[in-house]
Structure formats: structure tokens, C-alpha cells
Amino acid sequence: MTPPPSRADCQGWDARDPLARIRDKFRLKPGVIYLDGNSLGALTHNSAACTRAMIEDEWGHDLVRSWNVHGWFDLPHRLGAKIAPLIGAAADEVLVADSTSVNLFKLASAAAMTRGTRHRIVTESGNFPTDIYVLQGLAALLGGAIEVVAAPRSELLSRIDESTFLVVLTHIHYKTAELLDLQAITSHAHAQGARILWDLSHSVGALAVDLGAARADFAVGCTYKYLNGGPGSPAFLYVRRDLQDTICPGLAAWMGHVAPFEFADDYEPAPGMARYRSGTPSLIAFAALEGALGIWDDIDLRDVRRKSEALSELFIARVEAVSGSGLALASPREPARRGSHVALTHARGYELMQALIARGVIGDFRAPDVVRFSFTPLYLRFVDVWEAVTILGEVLAALDCSELVRRSGVT
Ligand SMILES: Cc1ncc(COP(=O)(O)O)c(C=O)c1O
């Protein structure tokens, strides 16, 4: 049997890590081990600089002329083109706009308008709530003409049939981190004549996704997690090129018009991804995202995935050695079936996470009993994971006699 890794092993891995050079691009607080990059990624120096430049040099200097002089109008397309290689898409298949929730609505409504005689959307029960709520809202808007089926994972494939016009699934589960087989499920949906929309919120920047090889129809995702775009940074949406001009988002708005500055009364959609724009983009948030995306140019996603698996394997192996902890693994044990975070359950999960945060180990809590720890290879070291589990052991030992803690609004 191989001996468990030691702290010296971790230092050795850090010394040989091809991504170690990227850590300096982040503004990290000494004394903090940040394990919540699946919720809000860390700040890059680049993001801070780009945001400052947009405010002071562009807005502050050139005012409204900046839309042309600094290319503000095309920024949603330029940032989409930067995200495209991370998800196996072409540069003109991805747009940055709005939030993930709004983009979900735009694409699900577009699919609903071209559904023919089909009337069902299939999604997963226990999916991230917004994915289900947006679809339920769409069904209500359409007066019950469509139906949303939220099926458990084990029944997903069998529920996709000739009545299904759209399948909406999250590639990496927000709680358990369990991965779905994007290629196989996409093929299955297509074989049943349905379109598929993937939520890549926990995938983009965590591992390579190949929407093109799978011929997936649509995708959406957050940029404030593994892409480090900043709190509330704009989301992205992907539409396969051959579909782009055949559908229209249910949210038709002026920036998606073929000639927005003609100010015509009648809506005429722009060609390509431009029709998926809605209103004026939140440019300052776009600047923060632009800065964060700048660091991806020379990063190999295979290195990212390899390190993410190694970090989370180290974490799980050390947690398993904390005997009698009351912790149980809620993520798949095999690294190939997991995304880049690890979920554990604990009866006093909220108190546990609060105590960890007080000791500088930041993860998060998801009701009723899940604590999540994310392993972000761009700024996390193996020694950080080592230290985090040491502190976790100490916190658990003290937890039995600690008081119950009142929950904050954001957990
Ligand atoms: C899978 C998934 N989809 C969507 C969202 C939220 O999207 P929005 O940016 O609209 O809040 C999250 C947020 O954590 C998520 O985990």
C-alpha cells in the first residue's frame, strides 16, 4: 500500500507544477486558503487594472465616444470569442451578455417558438434552481402549452422522447460536482429529435468542454466562478452556428436588432450571435471579465484538469483519514466523474463552515447539510490543501462543544 502523501510531497508537487506561475496573477490575501472559486473566483491583477482603465481612461476621458473609440459595442462578441476555445466553440458562436438565468430564458424561449408539435422540456430534478424556475416561468408564460419534466438523474434518458423539444442540463452538478456525459446525452437527445441546452457554469475554466464535437445546440454559463470575472460578471451563451439565424430569443431587444441605431419600430433580428444581445451591456463588469480572461491565453486546460483532480484527490484522501469526523463524501469518489469541487455532508455543516472561515479556510455551505470545497488550479497550491485539512481536523474536534450559529443570508 502506498503511504499517504506528506506535507513534503505537497511542496514537491508545487515545485513541479506547470501552473505555479499563474498564481502571481491573482491578488490573494495572506493567511486565507480560498476554496470557494466555484462560487466566486479570486481577483486577478489584470481585472483590477482593466476595470480602472475602463473607468478612468475610457469613460472618464472619452465619455460616450468610447462606444466607438474603445470598441465598447463589440465587447460582448470579443469576450465571447475568448471564451469559445475553453468550451470547444468557434469564435462566432459565443456571446457574453446578461446573466445565466436571462440567457437560459432567451434560449429556452427561442427553442419553444420553433418546437413544432412537441411540448416537453426535460431537465433534472435537483438541478440548480434557476434552471428549473426559468423553464417553469416559461411554461406559465405560454399558458401551459408546454410542460417541464424534472426527472431524477437515473430516469433522464428514458424521459427524453418524441414529445421533447428541449433538454436542459447542468454539466457539473452545483452541489455534488457529479459530471454528466455531455457527448452521450447530446447524441441521445438528438436521436430523439430534441435540442439540448447545457449549463456550463461549473465547467468553463475547470475542464475542457467540447460543444463542437458533441454538436450541442445551446449552452450558457457563469463567468464569475472558474473564469474569475468578478461578482455578478456577465454570463455567456453559445448557439451552434447553423442554428443561429433559424431561431430568435423570446427576449427581443434593441441591441439585438439588425440596425439598432436606426431606431425602427419593428423588430428585425441581427444575423448571427448579435440577435442574442438584449439591452446595454454592463460595461464596467465587462472590463473586469476582460481582464480575467486575459490570463487564459497560455494556459493548457489539460494541465488545469490534471491539477484539479490531484488537488481534490489529496483533499479527499486526507479527509478520509480524519476518523470519526461525521463527514461523508457527497461527490463521486472517482475523479473522472467529478468536476472541480468536492461536496461533503455534515450534520452541523453550517457551523462547520463558519468555524473554518473564521480560521481562514473559505468554502461554502448549501442547505441542508452540504459543505463545498473548490479546487481552483490557477491559484491553489498542494500545501494549501494540506493546511486546509489540518485546520478542518482541528475545527471538527472543537465543533462538538461549539454554539449553534445564526445563518447569514448568503451561505
Ligand atoms: C449551475 C448554475 N447555473 C446558474 C447559476 C446562476 O446564474 P445567475 O448568474 O443567473 O445567477 C448558478 C449559480 O451558482 C449555477 O451554479
Side-chain angles (χ1 to χ4, degrees):
M1 218 171 97
T2 46
S6 65
R7 195 173 195 285
D9 290 329
C10 293
Q11 286 167 322
W13 295 330
D14 284 327
R16 293 189 296 277
D17 173 13
L19 295 173
R21 68 201 154 87
I22 307 292
R23 183 175 157 86
D24 285 344
K25 296 183 185 287
F26 287 85
R27 189 182 289 181
L28 301 167
K29 210 169 149 203
V32 168
I33 301 176
Y34 193 59
L35 303 180
D36 210 12
N38 59 325
S39 182
L40 174 65
L43 172 65
T44 57
H45 298 296
N46 236 9
S47 248
C50 275
T51 312
R52 203 176 309 110
M54 159 104 39
I55 292 174
E56 291 175 5
D57 307 340
E58 301 183 7
W59 177 24
H61 192 263
D62 293 311
L63 292 163
V64 74
R65 292 175 57 239
S66 300
W67 284 100
N68 295 317
V69 176
H70 298 296
W72 284 2
F73 192 79
D74 294 328
L75 200 49
H77 299 275
R78 287 206 305 280
L79 297 194
K82 278 195 166 288
I83 292 173
L86 303 177
I87 56 174
D92 61 357
E93 290 179 317
V94 185
L95 179 79
V96 171
D98 305 306
S99 64
T100 300
S101 305
V102 171
N103 289 332
L104 261 163
F105 177 79
K106 291 193 288 193
L107 294 179
S109 56
M113 287 192 283
T114 50
R115 68 191 167 84
T117 55
R118 295 175 177 237
H119 69 284
R120 284 207 178 96
I121 300 180
V122 174
T123 188
E124 186 184 7
S125 51
N127 198 348
F128 188 78
T130 215
D131 298 61
I132 304 180
Y133 300 165
V134 163
L135 302 178
Q136 290 172 342
L138 179 63
L141 182 69
L142 297 180
I146 66 165
E147 184 192 1
V148 179
V149 176
R153 190 156 283 209
S154 56
E155 291 173 23
L156 273 178
L157 294 186
S158 63
R159 298 304 295 271
I160 303 170
D161 60 22
E162 67 288 344
S163 68
T164 311
F165 67 91
L166 184 66
V167 178
V168 177
L169 292 172
T170 298
H171 181 217
I172 297 177
H173 198 274
Y174 78 102
K175 249 191 209 173
T176 65
E178 187 172 353
L179 262 163
L180 286 175
D181 187 336
L182 186 142
Q183 174 104 37
I185 299 175
T186 301
S187 299
H188 179 79
H190 286 170
Q192 302 301 314
R195 287 178 175 152
I196 190 156
L197 189 167
W198 286 100
D199 183 337
L200 301 179
S201 292
H202 289 268
S203 315
V204 63
L207 77 186
V209 176
D210 202 340
L211 292 172
R215 291 207 39 83
D217 303 277
F218 312 118
V220 295
C222 302
T223 64
Y224 46 75
K225 300 176 185 291
Y226 295 98
L227 296 184
N228 312 299
S233 59
F236 66 87
L237 68 162
Y238 152 91
V239 181
R240 209 179 59 223
R241 192 186 284 125
D242 60 295
L243 294 175
Q244 289 172 10
D245 292 341
T246 66
I247 52 170
C248 273
L251 181 63
W254 79 290
M255 285 229 174
H257 191 275
V258 66
F261 288 88
E262 296 297 326
F263 301 103
D265 278 352
D266 291 323
Y267 180 68
E268 190 185 332
M273 288 308 288
R275 71 178 53 188
Y276 300 95
R277 299 176 68 138
S278 54
T280 308
S282 48
L283 264 288
I284 296 169
F286 272 69
L289 175 60
E290 183 172 28
L293 291 176
I295 68 173
W296 287 92
D297 292 344
D298 60 346
I299 291 176
D300 187 332
L301 274 171
R302 285 170 301 187
D303 288 337
V304 173
R305 178 62 173 159
R306 223 176 279 127
K307 183 173 170 191
S308 146
E309 289 189 0
L311 290 168
S312 51
E313 279 297 283
L314 169 66
F315 177 80
I316 294 173
R318 290 210 71 214
V319 167
E320 284 172 345
V322 183
S323 60
S325 64
L327 286 169
L329 183 66
S331 296
R333 184 64 189 85
E334 310 89 302
R337 291 186 49 224
R338 273 198 317 264
S340 206
H341 71 270
V342 170
L344 304 172
T345 56
H346 190 277
R348 297 185 64 197
Y350 185 73
E351 283 83 9
L352 172 64
M353 186 48 72
Q354 290 307 303
L356 278 172
I357 293 171
R359 294 279 310 269
V361 177
I362 303 181
D364 63 24
F365 168 78
R366 289 293 174 263
D369 59 356
V370 170
V371 282
R372 298 188 307 177
F373 300 90
S374 165
F375 300 96
T376 44
L378 302 191
Y379 50 87
L380 208 62
R381 299 169 301 196
F382 288 91
V383 283
D384 296 325
V385 175
W386 175 273
E387 299 295 352
V389 185
T390 302
I391 295 171
L392 175 65
E394 292 166 7
V395 162
L396 280 165
L399 194 66
D400 286 345
C401 35
S402 72
E403 298 280 307
L404 282 178
V405 183
R406 205 177 125 79
R407 276 193 205 173
S408 306
V410 177
T411 61

